[in-house]
Amino acid sequence: MPANRLWHYASVLAVRDLAASMAYFRDVLGFTVGWADADDWRMLERGDVRLMLGHCPQERPASDIGARSYFAYWHIDDVGALHAEIAGRGAIIRQAPADRPWGQREMVIATPDGHRIVAGQILGKSQP
């Protein structure tokens, strides 16, 4: 048994417009607001994924840092179904679902600030 198990983490993102980013994650990507009682912070959740958005209006947008703007890889049962769900609500899709040589079907999603997320499923194997 590990001596100090890690569990229930949240990615933390600096966003320039907190209200717009929260609305994007909630209304487009299907997250629920876990808490919104702090002036400059919001917690959002979908399944086991948790995000903390911090209001940082003076920061450079993530879109300025190119490939370093990737912050998460979400394992999912059906990438095609997620694509259909969120694309219809206006998600920023950087790469449509495609089979990759490493045995994953993946797509790339972006946020209004330019943070990038890969959502992927294992090909030929059911998810846990």
Side-chain angles (χ1 to χ4, degrees):
M1 174 198 281
N4 208 4
R5 182 176 69 99
L6 297 175
W7 52 280
H8 294 293
Y9 72 93
S11 296
V12 180
L13 299 178
V15 299
R16 295 164 59 96
D17 184 332
L18 185 59
S21 292
M22 185 181 74
Y24 180 78
F25 277 99
R26 183 191 61 218
D27 302 336
V28 176
L29 299 184
F31 281 72
T32 58
V33 178
W35 48 259
D37 52 352
D39 289 339
D40 291 326
W41 289 95
R42 299 293 180 268
M43 170 68 84
L44 297 122
E45 302 172 287
R46 179 171 176 170
D48 290 333
V49 174
R50 290 178 182 82
L51 298 170
M52 294 176 68
L53 304 180
H55 188 219
C56 301
Q58 304 306 319
E59 288 296 318
R60 283 176 45 197
S63 58
D64 286 357
I65 60 173
R68 290 181 299 262
S69 67
Y70 284 97
F71 79 91
Y73 190 105
W74 296 341
H75 292 278
I76 187 161
D77 294 326
D78 187 339
V79 169
L82 178 65
H83 179 266
E85 172 195 340
I86 65 175
R89 293 194 298 247
I92 304 165
I93 306 295
R94 293 289 181 233
Q95 291 178 2
D99 294 350
R100 306 292 186 205
W102 46 87
Q104 299 279 112
R105 181 166 180 76
E106 298 175 335
M107 71 181 212
V108 178
I109 307 158
T111 71
D113 283 291
H115 300 100
R116 291 188 272 181
I117 307 146
V118 178
Q121 75 183 75
I122 299 170
L123 292 171
K125 183 177 177 184
S126 63
Q127 298 294 312

